[in-house]
Amino acid sequence: GIRFLLETLLRSLQAIANAFLMLGFLLFIWGLSGVAFFGSVRHQRYLNDKTNFRTFFNAIMTLFRMGTLDGWNDIMFDCGVQHPYCTKDDVMDDCGPAPWITRLYFS
């Protein structure tokens, strides 16, 4: 009875740990690429001080939030902001990357 359940749980711990390790690895890679692509995007309604890609920690938290499907499409649209809703000149560029990059990243 209970002994069989405990043995089964102990045998499955390695597989569970591997799954969490893979999830952590994917969050790490996606977090780094999110900082690279969206780190300088202008803050708006859904991309704000707490939900952004400016730092690695905030990127991981934003990706975790998006993984729960909590407003992921609003964050995606805020990350894809383009001119004239942002500043793009020689001194400052707070626009999102090319629209195809934003779509590819969030799909």
Side-chain angles (χ1 to χ4, degrees):
I2 208 105
R3 183 178 189 152
F4 178 73
L5 287 175
L6 289 175
E7 287 176 8
T8 305
L9 178 66
L10 288 176
R11 288 183 186 164
S12 64
L13 282 179
Q14 184 180 8
I16 293 170
N18 286 339
F20 277 111
L21 189 64
M22 183 60 83
L23 179 64
F25 181 69
L26 287 174
L27 279 174
F28 179 80
I29 296 297
W30 241 246
L32 286 179
S33 60
V35 170
F37 289 133
F38 309 110
S40 62
V41 174
R42 167 183 291 213
H43 285 183
Q44 299 176 65
R45 182 173 182 185
Y46 298 103
L47 196 65
N48 51 41
D49 290 336
K50 293 182 181 180
T51 305
N52 61 58
F53 291 93
R54 300 250 164 135
T55 65
F56 180 71
F57 179 76
N58 282 351
I60 294 295
M61 292 295 113
T62 302
L63 288 172
F64 183 78
R65 174 182 169 185
M66 293 174 72
T68 64
L69 302 179
D70 182 24
W72 71 271
N73 53 345
D74 298 323
I75 296 170
M76 178 186 68
F77 289 128
D78 279 359
C79 284
V81 64
Q82 295 295 317
H83 187 72
Y85 302 106
C86 58
T87 306
K88 187 172 186 133
D89 56 22
D90 295 337
V91 179
M92 185 174 171
D93 182 7
D94 60 0
C95 295
W100 69 269
I101 293 176
T102 304
R103 284 190 215 112
L104 181 67
Y105 183 86
F106 289 105
S107 62

